[in-house]
Amino acid sequence: MGYDDILFGMPMGERIVVNDRKPSGIEMAVALNIKRDKFALPDVIRML
């Protein structure tokens, strides 16, 4: 999985991500809400 930017130290508030969907229907954005200061990702990120 690639990324262009990772932003740390952002001020508090909601994060809104807008991304397009490929013509094939693949979702190009996924968001996970995790506990603060806990950077371990869950075992299952996406179930089809």
Side-chain angles (χ1 to χ4, degrees):
M1 182 182 301
Y3 55 85
D4 290 325
D5 295 301
I6 297 178
L7 305 174
F8 293 101
M10 299 285 294
M12 72 175 177
E14 292 180 309
R15 308 293 186 249
I16 299 172
V17 176
V18 178
N19 206 340
D20 63 347
R21 183 178 296 120
K22 289 204 178 272
S24 65
I26 295 173
E27 302 288 336
M28 298 306 296
V30 175
L32 300 173
N33 288 301
I34 58 175
K35 291 184 180 180
R36 181 178 296 265
D37 299 327
K38 305 288 182 190
F39 298 109
L41 293 175
D43 292 334
V44 176
I45 294 177
R46 183 175 179 178
M47 295 177 58
L48 301 175

